Amino acid sequence: MGIAITGSGSATPTVELTNESLSQIVETSDEWISSRTGIQARRLAGAEESLCELAAQAAQNAIAMAQLSPTDIDLIVLATSTPDDLFGSAVKIQHAIGATQAVAFDLTAACSGFVFGVVTAAQFIYTGAYRNVVVIGADILSRWVNWSDRATCVLFGDGAGAMVLQADESRDRLLGFELASNGTQNHCLNLAYRGESQTLIGDVAIAQGTYQPITMNGREVYRFAVAKVPEILSKVMFRANLTAEDINWLILHQANQRIMDAVAQRLGIPAERVVSNLAKYGNTSAASIPIALDEAVRAGKIQTGDILAVSGFGAGLTWGGAIFEWGR
């Protein structure tokens, strides 16, 4: 049993926060942010917007492109670190889009989540368990940003992206993948629980609290990404019997333009074959790869038969790469 990638979709909030606007609440500037990250603006979810709404819209767009109906979907995998409900949001999305035949679950691997989700979904297709799967990457990191910390608040935006994978008896268009993690570097990027109070029940102290804002060692994350992402994609290309010349488009997690430039250079992939929408949206975590993919498909850049190399990397620390042929 092979896999075909047949649809993409995305959704972002309408509210835009530019670098200039951000400089009014924290000591920074458009030049400082743009030169260091490549980001010029980001989209932010309003108080009444939800992750499930964005994810549902992205999924519906992807299902429509694949020329399927929601009732054709067997499985929904939601990659997110910011669910509306800590018990999970995938099932709410399943209900919202009318995918009555689908099972749904959340997967958490931060900015690597979409690639991890695609690889996870692929296993269900390879075993014959499911035929039509939607993988969604969605995050609303603005909920967890310290807006007085200029090292992190300039980076993150909100959004959702989705992709449809279908069983295909004729051939396999998922040409290779590799996943990795290194818990010794977990401290470099965190959105960690913090106890704020205790309730005593007899002699038992029960901690209660919430999650503290995002913390990051940007220098270490940069070093990690520029070393590990070219390495893992090189492994995937070797296993798929491909070279850099065979890759039509490189789509990396949209974290920092300097990282994307460095990875492409190390792989020998020219800049014109790197998909980047970082300037418009910032770092949307698990949503960044599918949003960039969907925009490129709908703009006519990515065509049926094109070979795409994608890689996500981030908190955990985790990273992963996959190479697939677009379309059926």
Side-chain angles (χ1 to χ4, degrees):
M1 185 67 68
I3 292 172
I5 294 89
T6 58
S8 65
S10 60
T12 55
T14 57
V15 174
E16 181 183 68
L17 180 67
T18 64
N19 291 345
E20 184 178 350
S21 297
L22 195 52
S23 68
Q24 298 173 22
I25 63 171
V26 68
E27 186 180 348
T28 190
S29 67
D30 177 60
E31 190 280 330
W32 190 91
I33 300 170
S34 298
S35 63
R36 287 163 176 79
T37 69
I39 299 168
Q40 298 175 6
R42 68 284 296 148
R43 301 289 181 87
L44 302 183
E48 301 303 318
E49 289 184 279
S50 73
L51 179 121
C52 288
E53 290 170 344
L54 292 172
Q57 183 180 340
Q60 288 170 327
N61 292 340
I63 292 168
M65 182 184 289
Q67 298 183 341
L68 297 173
S69 69
T71 54
D72 294 321
I73 304 303
D74 303 309
L75 171 66
I76 297 170
V77 178
L78 171 65
T80 186
S81 301
T82 57
D84 293 332
D85 184 334
L86 281 178
F87 286 161
S89 291
V91 290
K92 189 172 181 180
I93 296 164
Q94 177 239 346
H95 172 67
I97 68 175
T100 55
Q101 305 304 307
V103 65
F105 63 84
D106 290 29
L107 178 152
T108 300
C111 300
S112 304
F114 182 75
V115 174
F116 276 50
V118 168
V119 172
T120 299
Q123 309 316 304
F124 287 99
I125 296 176
Y126 285 143
T127 63
Y130 301 120
R131 295 188 60 86
N132 301 315
V133 182
V134 178
V135 180
I136 307 167
D139 272 303
I140 299 183
L141 286 176
S142 63
R143 294 171 173 170
W144 301 106
V145 167
N146 178 356
W147 291 100
S148 63
D149 176 13
R150 77 168 185 170
T152 56
C153 76
V154 303
L155 301 175
F156 298 104
D158 305 331
M163 191 167 77
V164 173
L165 286 69
Q166 292 187 259
D168 189 330
E169 287 83 357
S170 62
R171 55 185 292 234
D172 190 7
R173 290 168 177 82
L174 179 57
L175 306 178
F177 62 83
E178 180 85 10
L179 304 178
S181 57
N182 181 0
T184 65
Q185 293 183 283
N186 177 261
H187 60 281
C188 293
L189 181 53
N190 302 100
L191 202 173
Y193 170 82
R194 176 177 57 197
E196 295 182 340
S197 65
Q198 289 186 346
T199 299
L200 289 175
I201 302 178
D203 294 331
V204 179
I206 300 172
Q208 294 181 307
T210 184
Y211 290 89
Q212 63 184 352
I214 296 167
T215 59
M216 181 175 68
N217 185 329
R219 182 171 296 179
E220 287 303 313
V221 172
Y222 177 88
R223 288 174 179 171
F224 144 74
V226 298
K228 294 300 184 180
V229 174
E231 178 184 274
I232 205 166
L233 283 177
S234 294
K235 286 182 179 180
V236 180
M237 283 191 286
F238 177 79
R239 290 175 180 173
N241 196 27
L242 298 170
T243 67
E245 288 72 27
D246 298 313
I247 305 301
N248 298 112
W249 300 103
L250 175 64
I251 309 180
L252 301 174
H253 166 48
Q254 309 285 297
N256 183 298
Q257 192 62 47
R258 288 179 172 180
I259 292 175
M260 291 193 283
D261 293 343
V263 170
Q265 185 176 17
R266 293 191 182 193
L267 289 171
I269 296 176
E272 60 269 20
R273 287 195 269 143
V274 179
V275 177
S276 175
N277 63 1
L278 175 70
K280 293 192 297 181
Y281 300 114
N283 180 343
T284 56
S285 191
S288 73
I289 291 173
I291 291 174
L293 166 68
D294 184 52
E295 286 199 337
V297 169
R298 293 179 188 276
K301 293 173 67 174
I302 295 175
Q303 299 287 326
T304 297
D306 282 355
I307 304 298
L308 281 61
V310 302
S311 180
F313 51 88
L317 295 175
T318 59
W319 64 106
I323 297 177
F324 58 86
E325 179 183 331
W326 175 255
R328 190 186 290 280

